[in-house]
Amino acid sequence: MPRNVEIKAKVHDVAKLHQCAAQLSNSEGEILHQEDTFFCSPKGRLKLRVLKDDNEELIYYERPDQEGPKCSDYVKVSRKNGELSGDVCKLLTRCLGVKGAMRKTRTLYMVDQTRVHVDSVDGLGDFMELEVVLRDDQTVEDGEKIASDLRLKLGIKEEDLLSEAYMDMILKK
C-alpha cells in the first residue's frame, strides 16, 4: 500500500500561509474544489471524492487519530467524472451507509515530495494539511522529520496541530 506521513493544523492567517507555501513551492498552487462522501467502514476511512475538473477518486485509508505527524496507508482508484459516483456511490451507500459529506476548496502546493494543502472547509474554517508521500526506501521517521521541518518553515505552531479528520470535526458540530 502507498504510504504518506500527514500533519493537519488549524490556520489563523490563511493569506500568510498561502504566501509562504507559494514561496517554498515556487508556484501559485493549484485550486481544487472537492466534495467528499464518507461511508461507514468497519475499519479505516472510505470516501468518494468528486473533483470539479471531471475526475473522481474512491479512497480508502487507515491512519491513527493523533496530533502531529502520523503515517497513513491508502489505496486510491481514480476515474473520469460519472464513472464512480453514480452506481458505485449507490452500491456503497446501500452496503455500508453514509457517514457524512463535506465540501472544501483546496489549494495544492508541491514542495519536493510533500503535498501542502491549504483548505477552506465549508462550515469549519481554514486548515493546513501536509502529506509527505514516502518513497519505498524511506521510513515513517524520515517522513515525520520532513513534515516537522516543513511545518516550522510554514509558521504552523505545535498548539494548532489537529488529530481528527475534517469529517469527524463536522460530525461533532
Side-chain angles (χ1 to χ4, degrees), residues 11-166:
V11 172
H12 301 286
D13 187 345
V14 72
K16 183 178 175 185
L17 179 60
H18 276 292
Q19 181 181 16
C20 192
Q23 186 177 26
L24 288 170
S25 69
N26 200 23
S27 76
E28 293 303 311
E30 177 184 1
I31 296 175
L32 306 168
H33 300 281
Q34 302 175 339
E35 293 182 21
D36 292 346
T37 301
F38 284 80
F39 299 95
C40 300
S41 177
K43 70 177 199 174
R45 291 180 173 91
L46 178 64
K47 67 183 169 187
L48 178 63
R49 171 168 289 159
V50 178
L51 303 156
K52 296 295 182 187
D53 68 353
D54 260 1
N55 289 309
E56 298 173 334
E57 301 170 330
L58 186 60
I59 305 166
Y60 172 78
Y61 63 100
E62 295 178 16
R63 177 190 74 217
D65 288 332
Q66 66 186 38
E67 291 180 0
K70 50 196 155 274
C71 185
S72 178
D73 294 320
Y74 62 94
V75 177
K76 180 168 50 172
V77 177
S78 300
R79 295 289 184 265
K80 289 288 181 194
N81 219 4
E83 291 181 14
L84 288 174
S85 62
D87 292 337
V88 171
C89 188
K90 288 176 192 172
L91 179 127
L92 290 171
T93 298
R94 241 178 123 173
C95 178
L96 300 172
V98 172
K99 185 176 187 178
M102 56 168 276
R103 278 188 229 149
K104 69 178 170 269
T105 300
R106 167 172 281 177
T107 305
L108 167 64
Y109 301 92
M110 288 300 302
V111 179
D112 298 320
Q113 71 191 80
T114 304
R115 298 169 59 90
V116 178
H117 302 148
V118 181
D119 293 336
S120 176
V121 182
D122 289 5
L124 282 182
D126 296 318
F127 300 88
M128 183 271 329
E129 190 176 84
L130 301 179
E131 290 180 356
V132 181
V133 179
L134 296 174
R135 296 185 310 262
D136 290 341
D137 66 334
Q138 288 181 302
T139 66
V140 171
E141 292 76 20
D142 293 335
E144 289 173 350
K145 180 171 179 4
I146 292 167
S148 293
D149 290 347
L150 187 51
R151 174 186 65 83
L152 293 172
K153 288 177 184 174
L154 290 167
I156 301 298
K157 297 178 183 170
E158 193 166 339
E159 59 263 24
D160 291 326
L161 295 178
L162 300 170
S163 60
E164 297 177 299
Y166 299 140

